[in-house]
Amino acid sequence: MSTKTDTTDEPGATADQGGDLGAAGSQLSTAPQEDISLPSLGPIGWVRWFWRQLTSMRVALLLLFLLSIGAIPGSLIPQTSIDPVKVDQFKAQHSTLAGIYDKLGMFHVYSSVWFSAIYLLLFISLIGCIVPRAWQFVGQLRGRPPAAPRRLTRLPAYTTWRTEAAPEDVLEAAGRMLKKRRFRVRREGTAVGSEKGYLREAGNLLFHVALIVMLVAFAVGSLWKSEGGKLITEGDGFSNSLTQYDDFTSGPFFDRSAMEPFGFTLDSFDASYERTGPQRGTPRTFRANITYFTGADGTEHKSSIEVNTPLDLAGDKVYLLSHGYSPVVTVKDGRGKVVYHGAVPFLPQDPKNFTSSGVVKVPGARDKDGKRDQLGFQGLFVPTFGGKNSGSMFSQFPAPDFPVLSVNAWHGDLGMDSGLPQNVYQLDTKRLKQYKDASGDIFKKMLLPKDRAAQMLGHSGAKLTPQEIAAASTMNLPGGGGSITFDGIKTWASFKVAHQAGNGLALIGAVGALLGLAASLFIQRRRVWVRAERVEENGVAVTVVEMAGLGRSESARVPEELAALAAELTASAPPAPPAEDPTEPTDSADPADPSEGARA
């Protein structure tokens, strides 16, 4: 048995409506069909639509948020422009992640394509947003306050009273009062209109203009900046020339041939540390004492540089970054000839107690037969050695209380003649052979500084012989290959010399942004109207005074200000006594009721 049910089609129903269910599915919805055909925008229309979206406040805030988010990787990931050494260390430790970061431009965030795109779009958005608003604001400044509405009672702040003063006198008094309070006043018919608080919009525009100024300052600082690092040992100097820097980066528009003439010498370095309590080892003083000169005359001056207290030299700022120790060594080759003498900077491996490592390269060394045999030494320096029974070669304190230098030696070809650059803090051992003792172990020795050996060995009451001091301070290489002597210790300090253009412009932008933000937050734009009309009540002519106020946003300040204005105006238009009703008997002894109360 089969049954067939016919249904009446609803108006507007189609066979394909309702998806796969066809006409049956269409009965499940009573929504009317909408057949809307939108006109094609065309190329010009799409450009106009895109421009309106880009210059909207919503998109500007979104771009500003993206810019702040995009700046976060620049503070978390090492940047090539700030510390290329840390970038190299990061790449060596995280090879896979470093490849991804390199493709995304994470090692140079602020000059990457995506960060520059956000920056430029924000710049264009702010300009496109400010220009029309500025013209609109100029038009408002040139315009007049609006006329009074027909019904002032509908405004949020309102008051009224009767007075015997003439309407003309009331309006003139109201105009004088409002002008005295710096309102812009317009007289039209029986009402006076006034407006105040234009600086609110001016503050809003100032804030956006200040943002543009700060973006311009950021661009100027990126295009004309320069930064260079230099490590200097006590007694050595530096001059502001490109060849003197250990590393140097600059913006594309910086003129490297026009660097300011100045220089300085590191005279000494003062460092002190907490020696007792839970903060033992915490630094208390880091100060680099220098002698500097500026200009062509070269007049020298004494000064000091501390952390976060840079020295301004010819418009460039010299920052103190870090410090460490430079063991002073003397190297003799197989002929007994001094082939190297000087201080060698060692880089800290332990930033707290300054356990440091470094290398000494002697390319001019020869063996006892006069043949070329270059020497290389790897060293580990500890400012405060814990003692042979401590079981550790790590420093126990950052100050040089018990300095020890542990070295091992290599000989052969240092590879410095290949023409390829080498890291001065690393030893390339591909063509070198390490010295070993008679048992086949690595030949190494811990050395004491020659200038403090007697004191450190505890011979306070007896003098050490030169042979004993030499034995404690010198390592003689096997087979008459030469020797290395630990003479003493110097301190090195690393400096950053930065030329940052646009700092003054950035300061102006920041101050302007704060002033504009304060004006837009604390200044309220409001309007006040005063109307005075002559009417007859019970055969007596009186003037009805109405005052109303309107603010741009809901605030208690508008009613309060209107009440103060009304109280001041009553001095020129005092309230009239209430009129008597002639149809009812009156008693002079009874007080009259007011005809209408005040409304606020």
Side-chain angles (χ1 to χ4, degrees):
M1 178 178 178
S2 63
T3 304
K4 180 179 180 181
T5 304
D6 295 333
T7 58
T8 305
D9 293 339
E10 293 185 1
T14 59
D16 59 349
Q17 193 174 14
D20 295 336
L21 299 179
S26 66
Q27 306 302 320
L28 299 177
S29 175
T30 59
Q33 292 188 11
E34 295 183 1
D35 187 9
I36 300 176
S37 59
L38 297 176
S40 178
L41 291 178
I44 298 178
W46 279 109
V47 171
R48 185 178 301 165
W49 177 86
F50 179 78
W51 177 254
R52 289 179 178 175
Q53 297 299 318
L54 181 61
T55 56
S56 65
M57 185 60 64
R58 178 179 63 256
V59 174
L61 292 175
L62 178 61
L63 290 173
L64 188 61
F65 176 73
L66 290 177
L67 191 70
S68 61
I69 294 296
I72 293 177
S75 59
L76 299 179
I77 302 174
Q79 299 295 293
T80 306
S81 60
I82 298 176
D83 196 339
V85 176
K86 286 188 176 180
V87 173
D88 294 337
Q89 293 177 353
F90 185 91
K91 291 181 177 180
Q93 296 173 0
H94 311 85
S95 57
T96 304
L97 189 60
I100 300 175
Y101 282 176
D102 209 1
K103 293 180 179 179
L104 296 177
M106 291 299 180
F107 295 116
H108 48 90
V109 168
Y110 305 112
S111 59
S112 61
V113 176
W114 56 269
F115 190 85
S116 301
I118 299 174
Y119 173 84
L120 292 176
L121 286 175
L122 178 60
F123 189 79
I124 296 172
S125 177
L126 288 175
I127 293 179
C129 180
I130 288 174
V131 171
R133 294 184 65 174
W135 282 114
Q136 183 181 3
F137 180 62
V138 171
Q140 292 177 357
L141 290 178
R142 298 178 60 184
R144 302 172 63 188
R150 183 190 304 178
R151 298 181 182 179
L152 296 178
T153 55
R154 294 186 175 182
L155 298 181
Y158 173 81
T159 185
T160 182
W161 72 92
R162 272 68 171 166
T163 181
E164 295 179 349
E168 194 70 21
D169 296 338
V170 174
L171 295 178
E172 289 183 0
R176 291 193 302 269
M177 175 191 66
L178 293 171
K179 289 180 179 179
K180 182 180 178 182
R181 290 179 175 253
R182 297 187 299 277
F183 279 84
R184 294 175 61 192
V185 179
R186 174 190 179 185
R187 169 78 179 273
E188 183 175 347
T190 60
V192 172
S194 63
E195 191 170 8
K196 189 178 181 181
Y198 286 92
L199 289 180
R200 177 187 177 91
E201 186 64 23
N204 196 4
L205 291 174
L206 177 61
F207 175 76
H208 288 82
V209 171
L211 287 181
I212 293 180
V213 172
M214 294 178 67
L215 290 176
V216 171
F218 180 79
V220 171
S222 299
L223 295 175
W224 278 274
K225 73 172 183 178
S226 69
E227 289 183 352
K230 181 63 177 178
L231 187 148
I232 305 175
T233 303
E234 285 179 308
D236 294 340
F238 163 80
S239 61
N240 189 33
S241 62
L242 197 58
T243 57
Q244 289 280 302
Y245 285 96
D246 296 333
D247 56 85
F248 186 86
T249 58
S250 63
F253 294 161
F254 179 78
D255 188 3
R256 298 190 176 190
S257 62
M259 301 175 70
E260 295 293 334
F262 66 84
F264 59 90
T265 301
L266 179 60
D267 299 328
S268 62
F269 190 89
D270 299 333
S272 62
Y273 307 90
E274 189 70 32
R275 292 189 170 274
T276 58
Q279 294 186 344
R280 183 177 182 272
T282 303
R284 294 304 181 194
T285 304
F286 282 164
R287 183 187 302 110
N289 303 308
I290 66 169
T291 301
Y292 70 90
F293 70 90
T294 57
D297 57 349
T299 303
E300 294 185 343
H301 306 275
K302 296 285 187 179
S303 185
S304 61
I305 306 175
E306 298 185 27
V307 178
N308 298 326
T309 308
L311 179 64
D312 193 345
L313 295 179
D316 293 1
K317 290 189 179 296
V318 182
Y319 296 88
L320 174 63
L321 298 183
S322 60
H323 85 287
Y325 297 101
S326 298
V328 181
V329 298
T330 299
V331 179
K332 295 181 181 180
D333 62 4
R335 301 169 298 172
K337 182 179 179 181
V338 176
V339 288
Y340 183 86
H341 175 75
V344 183
F346 275 42
L347 298 182
Q349 306 301 311
D350 173 18
K352 181 178 180 181
N353 293 321
F354 289 91
T355 300
S356 308
S357 64
V359 299
V360 181
K361 300 180 182 181
V362 189
R366 295 182 179 273
D367 60 12
K368 58 184 179 181
D369 298 327
K371 296 181 180 181
R372 184 178 180 183
D373 190 23
Q374 297 178 342
L375 297 177
F377 299 89
Q378 290 179 330
L380 185 67
F381 174 77
V382 289
T384 302
F385 182 49
K388 292 185 178 181
N389 297 326
S390 63
S392 173
M393 188 57 189
F394 289 97
S395 177
Q396 307 299 310
F397 195 74
D401 295 342
F402 199 111
V404 172
L405 176 64
S406 176
V407 293
N408 58 73
W410 303 71
H411 67 104
D413 184 6
L414 294 173
M416 300 178 64
D417 300 330
S418 62
L420 299 176
Q422 286 191 2
N423 191 331
V424 296
Y425 303 105
Q426 294 179 355
L427 187 64
D428 186 2
T429 60
K430 294 180 180 179
R431 305 177 185 87
L432 297 176
K433 184 178 180 181
Q434 192 170 20
Y435 280 103
K436 296 184 178 181
D437 56 19
S439 60
D441 297 330
I442 296 176
F443 184 75
K444 58 183 178 181
K445 186 177 181 180
M446 290 191 296
L447 306 178
L448 302 180
K450 186 177 180 179
D451 56 353
R452 298 174 58 182
Q455 178 184 358
M456 294 170 61
L457 289 174
H459 292 264
S460 56
K463 292 183 178 181
L464 290 178
T465 64
Q467 292 77 13
E468 292 175 322
I469 296 176
S473 306
T474 303
M475 181 178 75
N476 294 312
L477 300 178
S483 65
I484 180 172
T485 301
F486 184 18
D487 297 319
I489 308 167
K490 288 186 176 182
T491 304
W492 61 259
S494 65
F495 300 88
K496 182 179 76 171
V497 181
H499 176 79
Q500 190 69 40
N503 285 341
L505 197 63
L507 178 61
I508 293 174
V511 173
L514 291 177
L515 293 178
L517 185 61
S520 61
L521 290 178
F522 297 108
I523 297 178
Q524 184 178 14
R525 191 170 179 180
R526 62 266 193 205
R527 293 169 179 170
V528 174
W529 292 275
V530 180
R531 176 177 286 149
E533 295 180 343
R534 199 73 170 176
V535 298
E536 286 192 8
E537 294 181 352
N538 300 325
V540 179
V542 294
T543 300
V544 178
V545 182
E546 293 180 292
M547 293 186 67
L550 178 65
R552 184 173 180 178
S553 59
E554 294 293 335
S555 174
R557 294 177 56 187
V558 176
E560 293 174 358
E561 186 175 26
L562 186 69
L565 292 173
E568 184 175 349
L569 186 59
T570 54
S572 301
E580 296 180 354
D581 189 353
T583 61
E584 295 182 2
T586 59
D587 188 353
S588 60
D590 295 333
D593 295 332
S595 60
E596 185 174 350
R599 176 185 177 192

